[in-house]
Amino acid sequence: MTRKQRRMTIIGGSLAVLALAAALVLNALRDSIVFFSTPTMVAEKHVAPGKRFRLGGLVQPGSLQRGDNLAVTFEVADGSAKLPVAYKGILPDLFREGQGVVAEGALDASGVFKADTVLAKHDETYMPKDVADALKKQGHWKDDYGAQASGGGKPAATTAQGNLQGAVR
């Protein structure tokens, strides 16, 4: 075998090993690549109790109940399904009923999502893309959401060099 053939064999073998490793990693991460699951996705996938994941959706109006020692329960919905959530701790300042939320935790045996972290949306026009898509499918989408996000809000601030800061995505 010549030097060039040996080099090509090594390069080809290395590329094959790299492709196999990438395929194995992507296959293993297939379900966990999603940033959060909606209540409908949780119901469809039949998530096992104790498996950690992120739950995203809208806090149902009238479902927020505060208990002793910072215990809070509420329901997260995506238009077609809802899931009860229990959390113990201080909620973010922007957390309120009717607004978007992402919670990290796991389901317990009774089907209640036990959250250990609750994240609220960052402003009044933000909505996770998956939640917005689910609302559009269910017919609960308000036409002014897109207008507020794109041009109806405050203009982005600029620095002395003219660079945009805080621009809307």
Side-chain angles (χ1 to χ4, degrees):
M1 204 186 273
T2 66
R3 194 178 221 184
K4 186 175 181 180
Q5 289 174 333
R6 231 179 321 172
R7 194 176 325 148
M8 290 303 221
T9 304
I10 290 172
I11 290 173
S14 299
L15 288 175
V17 168
L18 184 63
L20 180 65
L24 289 173
V25 167
L26 289 174
N27 188 39
L29 295 176
R30 180 177 38 208
D31 288 336
S32 60
I33 288 177
V34 177
F35 289 107
F36 64 85
S37 298
T38 62
T40 301
M41 293 167 69
V42 172
E44 289 173 355
K45 290 182 181 179
H46 302 292
V47 177
K51 182 181 179 197
R52 290 189 54 80
F53 64 96
R54 284 184 170 184
L55 174 68
L58 299 174
V59 178
Q60 282 294 103
S63 68
L64 181 63
Q65 297 176 351
R66 299 183 186 273
D68 296 335
N69 298 329
L70 300 176
V72 178
T73 60
F74 55 93
E75 288 184 341
V76 173
D78 63 356
S80 61
K82 51 185 155 178
L83 191 64
V85 177
Y87 175 68
K88 187 171 185 176
I90 298 173
L91 290 169
D93 290 338
L94 296 176
F95 181 90
R96 61 186 168 271
E97 294 177 344
Q99 300 296 318
V101 67
V102 176
E104 281 185 60
L107 285 174
D108 66 3
S110 64
V112 175
F113 185 79
K114 299 287 185 176
D116 51 36
T117 305
V118 173
L119 307 169
K121 64 181 201 154
H122 69 283
D123 69 15
E124 67 274 356
T125 59
Y126 172 77
M127 182 171 300
K129 182 179 180 340
D130 294 333
V131 173
D133 291 343
L135 287 174
K136 285 178 185 177
K137 283 183 186 176
Q138 299 298 321
H140 297 291
W141 180 256
K142 295 180 185 170
D143 288 331
D144 61 338
Y145 285 155
Q148 289 175 357
S150 61
K154 296 178 184 174
T158 57
T159 62
Q161 291 82 19
N163 298 331
L164 285 175
Q165 289 182 342
V168 177
R169 293 183 206 188

